[in-house]
Amino acid sequence: MSVQAYMAAVTCSEVAGELLGSGFSGDVHQPGDAQYDVLRQSVVPTFDSRPLVVAEAGSRADVQAAVRTARRLGLPLAVQATGHGTRVPADGGILLKTTAMTSVLVDPQRKLAKVGPGTRWGAVVDAAGQFGLAPLAGSSRDVGVTGYTLGGGVGWLARKYGFAADSVVRAEVVTADGRLVTASADEHPDLFWALRGGSGNFGIVTSLEFRLYAVPQVHSGTVYFAVDNAAETLKFYRDWSATIPNELSTAILLTRLPGTTTRALAIKASYSGEADLAEHLLKPLFDQAGPILAGELKTTPYGESAMGGTPARYLDLLDTLPDDLLDALAELTYETVEIRHWGGAMAHPGPDAGPVGHREASYSLIIDQEVPTLAPVLRTTGRTFLNFLADPGQAASAYGEADLIRLRAVKRAYDPDNFFHLNHNLTPA
């Protein structure tokens, strides 16, 4: 149904009244309200969602009320915490904001954290760091915990401890019929499996509990080199990366020196161990890359390590890095290219792991824009990773065939009408 048809069927004021009458206790904003245009925005600057109302949830009861109201009125419902994962507009529907639900509880004895759906990684990193513990966070403190984790979650500790989704132990979920259920290995195990990589297709998570790890500090940073022998360094990186321990996570980039237009080769590294051993492991790669132009590695508390990321306009997950591909990448003069080493614990999860897709990949290749001239050498695998996927219509490509079949079965069981579809959607059939 079009936005115009929705608005003809029910007015913004009627939706707001229905929400408040159903027990929704948060603020509800309509077009024209001071906060409406602020709250409907996502992090993606070109995204322009036009919901009938923006509803700010403060509790799980509010989330339930929003689901039930949307179902009763036949309106689409979108969920947004930080806006980083927003890819489908909530035009003509209800945009439910969980931004204010930001609780963080850390159990240092059990090495667990429990968070609300609006919590960002910075809050968890700081709370856990007081006990020398670390979550499997991503590259930015500002990213929301729940969306990142449910989409898989690949961070700088992933080679050692796996994807963030693999560390989830319990989730509280509002289902498509407005029920509140707990998903764990013992309760609703099929839903628990699907949530850990299947994103927001099965319900709205109102709290998430996950493991923490004893990583009080890391030796990390970004180091820049001349780009003159980039092709040879990329090939060396491919061979060298196959020899390193899981404690060392790395990426190699073709980019620019910070604050300049000068083309450079950069190496990002994060080692969860002693600095001397990290430097020893990295020395052959640094020697191959040549004299250091800028940057450094330093030992810091885990929470102070800032690694950054590359916008994924192009993404592929690769098993190998053939010479002709690396030669072609080295010839690029403007684009930012990031090759990141996967493997380790990501490729070898426990037997109860969720459906994080394409774990077998050895590398991710990210380019910050489309490069048509590379088509002959890219040999695109068609595999994607949900956290990096800009096109929600390609969500199925983030999973292997067997997991996709099982995910659709769980979708049929918990959301047969595909109520939760304003996301990286997996249909029930």
Side-chain angles (χ1 to χ4, degrees):
M1 187 181 291
S2 68
V3 175
Q4 291 77 14
Y6 276 126
M7 295 187 74
V10 60
T11 67
C12 301
S13 296
E14 287 171 341
V15 177
E18 287 282 342
L19 276 168
L20 297 173
S22 68
F24 191 91
S25 63
D27 292 332
V28 180
H29 306 277
Q30 304 176 44
D33 293 353
Q35 287 296 303
Y36 174 83
D37 284 325
V38 174
L39 294 172
R40 67 183 178 84
Q41 297 298 327
S42 79
V43 171
V44 181
T46 58
F47 198 84
D48 189 30
S49 182
R50 297 281 177 173
L52 291 175
V53 300
V54 179
E56 295 187 87
S59 68
R60 62 190 185 187
D62 284 347
V63 174
Q64 290 179 280
V67 169
R68 290 168 178 160
T69 299
R71 293 303 296 258
R72 187 167 58 252
L73 297 177
L75 296 177
L77 175 74
V79 185
Q80 185 182 93
T82 65
H84 286 81
T86 302
R87 299 294 180 183
V88 183
D91 293 344
I94 298 172
L95 176 58
L96 179 66
K97 300 282 290 190
T98 59
T99 311
M101 299 173 66
T102 58
S103 60
V104 181
L105 297 173
V106 172
D107 183 337
Q109 282 71 42
R110 298 169 62 211
K111 297 181 181 177
L112 294 173
K114 183 178 181 180
V115 305
T119 305
R120 300 175 189 245
W121 276 119
V124 184
V125 167
D126 292 344
Q130 299 178 48
F131 305 101
L133 300 173
L136 301 187
S139 300
S140 171
R141 292 171 55 90
D142 197 45
V143 168
V145 174
T146 300
Y148 169 91
T149 302
L150 300 185
V154 56
W156 287 91
L157 294 175
R159 281 180 35 81
K160 175 65 175 176
Y161 298 110
F163 294 101
D166 294 336
S167 285
V168 173
V169 297
R170 188 173 291 99
E172 184 182 77
V173 186
V174 174
T175 60
D177 57 4
R179 289 181 300 139
L180 183 70
V181 303
T182 298
S184 68
D186 301 318
E187 301 176 84
H188 298 279
D190 53 343
L191 177 60
F192 179 61
W193 174 84
L195 288 172
R196 293 175 296 150
S199 193
N201 275 286
F202 313 96
I204 302 173
V205 170
T206 54
S207 74
L208 195 68
E209 190 172 349
F210 48 87
R211 298 183 190 92
L212 302 171
Y213 298 90
V215 184
Q217 62 184 31
V218 292
H219 192 64
S220 64
T222 304
V223 182
Y224 296 85
F225 304 84
V227 77
D228 304 14
N229 64 336
E232 291 76 15
T233 303
L234 290 174
K235 293 169 189 175
F236 187 91
Y237 176 78
R238 172 193 60 198
D239 300 333
W240 168 87
S241 61
T243 70
I244 61 176
N246 294 348
E247 288 80 5
L248 180 58
S249 289
T250 59
I252 190 166
L253 293 86
L254 300 172
T255 183
R256 294 173 185 76
L257 283 173
T260 77
T261 59
T262 303
R263 192 73 168 162
L265 181 143
I267 296 170
K268 291 184 177 182
S270 181
Y271 184 72
S272 52
E274 295 298 323
D276 289 349
L277 185 49
E279 299 284 352
H280 172 75
L281 291 167
L282 288 161
K283 186 177 187 303
L285 179 61
F286 284 14
D287 288 347
Q288 167 64 36
I292 295 175
L293 301 181
E296 63 176 343
L297 302 183
K298 56 184 179 180
T299 300
T300 66
Y302 171 78
E304 296 178 14
S305 175
M307 302 300 292
T310 301
R313 302 292 181 264
Y314 174 88
L315 165 71
D316 205 358
L317 301 177
L318 305 173
D319 299 324
T320 61
L321 296 171
D323 285 356
D324 60 345
L325 170 60
L326 298 180
D327 288 336
L329 293 174
E331 292 298 317
L332 297 178
T333 58
Y334 179 77
E335 300 81 1
T336 295
V337 177
E338 177 182 306
I339 297 172
R340 185 164 174 176
H341 185 208
W342 283 39
M346 291 186 282
H348 299 96
D352 63 340
V356 178
H358 311 304
R359 295 173 178 274
E360 71 282 2
S362 298
Y363 304 93
S364 60
L365 169 62
I366 288 176
I367 309 176
D368 69 346
Q369 56 190 286
E370 295 288 345
V371 189
T373 57
L374 287 178
V377 296
L378 283 175
R379 305 185 191 94
T380 302
T381 67
R383 299 181 298 187
T384 59
F385 190 71
L386 214 63
N387 289 149
F388 301 140
L389 184 58
D391 181 3
Q394 300 299 313
S397 64
Y399 305 99
E401 184 177 358
D403 280 348
L404 186 58
I405 291 171
R406 187 177 172 188
L407 282 164
R408 293 195 193 283
V410 178
K411 181 74 168 178
R412 287 193 298 273
Y414 286 90
D415 186 15
D417 300 326
N418 202 18
F419 174 69
F420 296 116
H421 65 276
L422 299 182
N423 49 30
H424 288 101
N425 192 233
L426 300 175
T427 60

